[in-house]
Amino acid sequence: MRKYPFIVIPIILFFFLAFKTVEQDDRYFQIVKSLDIFTTLFKEVNAYYVEEVNPTELMKIGIDAMLSSLDPYTDYIPEDDIEDYRTMTTGEYGGIGAVIDKKGGINTVVMPYKNAPAVRAGLLIGDQILKINNIALSGKKAYEISNLLRSQINAQITLEIKRMNSPEVFQISLATEKIVIKNVPYAGLVKAGLGYIKLTDFTTNAGKEVSAALKELVQQGASKLILDLRGNPGGLLDEAINVSNIFIPKGAEIVSTKGKLEEWTKVYRTKSQPVDAEIPLV
């Protein structure tokens, strides 16, 4: 009778492993079958759809739609957008240092950065950019214009400009430089004792910038603080934790993550002493 459990356990274990193997094989079959259907459909649309389609754009739309069914944070970044991704995570890019936006359908300089190549070359707010390196911008999408303006450092760019209240069109030549976008574009006193910090991103050095701004405001007499996160799209998790650490004691749990793989399941705690854990904060 004592030998019976030693017979049952291997049989149960074998049955369990066999069930798991069948389950995995069925999942792999579904994946292969789904990919085959998708590939066939993609070929059929490209071959027989009544109008010409852009295969790259069509694939991008399909990928984006697939990922949007998961959650708002899972994104596909194609190689063409890698510079935008680097800008989003580091706050740095090679460019002329100006925000360009469409006004009345025309690409217009809305904010040149202080001491950037755009300012030194004479670009003004309201200047309309008609061409970049002799490429007409009419009909171009925002990402296409961004790609024309962002490049390797020290690249030469020629802009064709029309200025407000002037009929003349003229050219400006300038070289791109490393542009650093600050996470904290403004910090100051709203009134006596009330400090204000605008935090627009969580890119590299966000924690250091908020910390430096807070220390300066305290020196100016701030005893209460507004931390303005409106319009902040998020960014690096480590920097968000660093910003939290400014106001939270060392060793406190800030956030935890869970993933399919064990190494993606982590608990993040503050590592340093806070700058000010007592200041009233909104």
Side-chain angles (χ1 to χ4, degrees):
M1 294 297 290
R2 291 180 180 178
K3 292 182 179 181
Y4 183 70
F6 295 94
I7 297 173
V8 172
I9 291 174
I11 292 174
I12 293 174
L13 181 61
F14 174 78
F15 178 79
F16 175 76
L17 292 175
F19 177 77
K20 291 296 289 184
T21 302
V22 171
E23 188 179 54
Q24 288 178 349
D25 287 345
D26 182 59
R27 180 176 177 80
Y28 290 139
F29 172 76
Q30 291 181 42
I31 292 172
V32 172
K33 181 181 178 181
S34 298
L35 288 174
D36 183 56
I37 293 172
F38 184 85
T39 302
T40 302
L41 177 62
F42 190 74
K43 289 178 179 178
E44 292 290 313
V45 170
N46 276 287
Y48 301 115
Y49 187 67
V50 64
E51 297 177 356
E52 287 295 324
V53 295
N54 185 316
T56 302
E57 288 188 3
L58 192 64
M59 179 61 76
K60 177 71 165 56
I61 292 170
I63 292 172
D64 289 343
M66 176 177 64
L67 296 181
S68 68
S69 69
L70 303 177
D71 57 59
Y73 313 108
T74 304
D75 291 320
Y76 163 62
I77 302 173
E79 187 178 3
D80 291 345
D81 294 342
I82 196 65
E83 289 301 322
D84 290 337
Y85 173 74
R86 289 196 184 104
T87 301
M88 182 177 66
T89 55
T90 66
E92 299 179 358
Y93 68 95
I96 65 172
V99 177
I100 312 296
D101 197 11
K102 284 191 180 293
K103 299 295 182 183
I106 301 175
N107 297 285
T108 306
V109 178
V110 295
M111 186 177 71
Y113 297 148
K114 186 178 180 180
N115 298 324
V119 170
R120 298 200 303 271
L123 273 180
L124 303 176
I125 293 175
D127 281 352
Q128 298 176 341
I129 303 177
L130 307 180
K131 292 182 180 180
I132 301 175
N133 292 337
N134 291 322
I135 299 174
L137 302 186
S138 178
K140 294 284 186 185
K141 296 180 180 179
Y143 75 89
E144 295 175 307
I145 296 169
S146 178
N147 289 339
L148 290 172
L149 288 173
R150 296 186 180 186
S151 62
Q152 298 296 323
I153 296 171
N154 292 326
Q156 293 294 319
I157 291 182
T158 301
L159 307 177
E160 187 173 286
I161 303 296
K162 184 180 184 303
R163 186 153 287 168
M164 289 189 300
N165 303 321
S166 175
E168 297 181 5
V169 173
F170 59 95
Q171 289 188 339
I172 289 179
S173 295
L174 65 168
T176 59
E177 294 179 5
K178 183 174 79 171
I179 306 299
V180 180
I181 303 174
K182 290 186 176 181
N183 294 277
V184 179
Y186 176 80
L189 292 176
V190 177
K191 60 181 182 180
L194 179 58
Y196 172 90
I197 297 175
K198 175 66 176 175
L199 180 61
T200 56
D201 286 288
F202 286 101
T203 62
T204 305
N205 293 325
K208 291 181 179 179
E209 291 181 37
V210 174
S211 176
L214 176 58
K215 290 176 182 177
E216 186 172 341
L217 289 173
V218 170
Q219 288 181 353
Q220 295 174 14
S223 57
K224 300 177 183 178
L225 183 67
I226 298 170
L227 182 60
D228 190 350
L229 295 169
R230 291 175 298 174
N232 188 321
L236 301 176
L237 178 60
D238 286 344
E239 288 300 333
I241 294 168
N242 290 339
V243 171
S244 300
N245 198 169
I246 294 169
F247 308 99
I248 297 176
K250 182 178 179 179
E253 180 179 337
I254 299 296
V255 65
S256 60
T257 61
K258 290 186 178 181
K260 182 175 288 187
L261 301 180
E262 185 177 349
E263 58 263 33
W264 291 350
T265 300
K266 296 181 180 179
V267 175
Y268 295 86
R269 300 180 183 276
T270 52
K271 298 179 180 179
S272 306
Q273 296 298 333
V275 176
D276 193 332
E278 303 297 331
I279 189 170
L281 172 69
V282 294

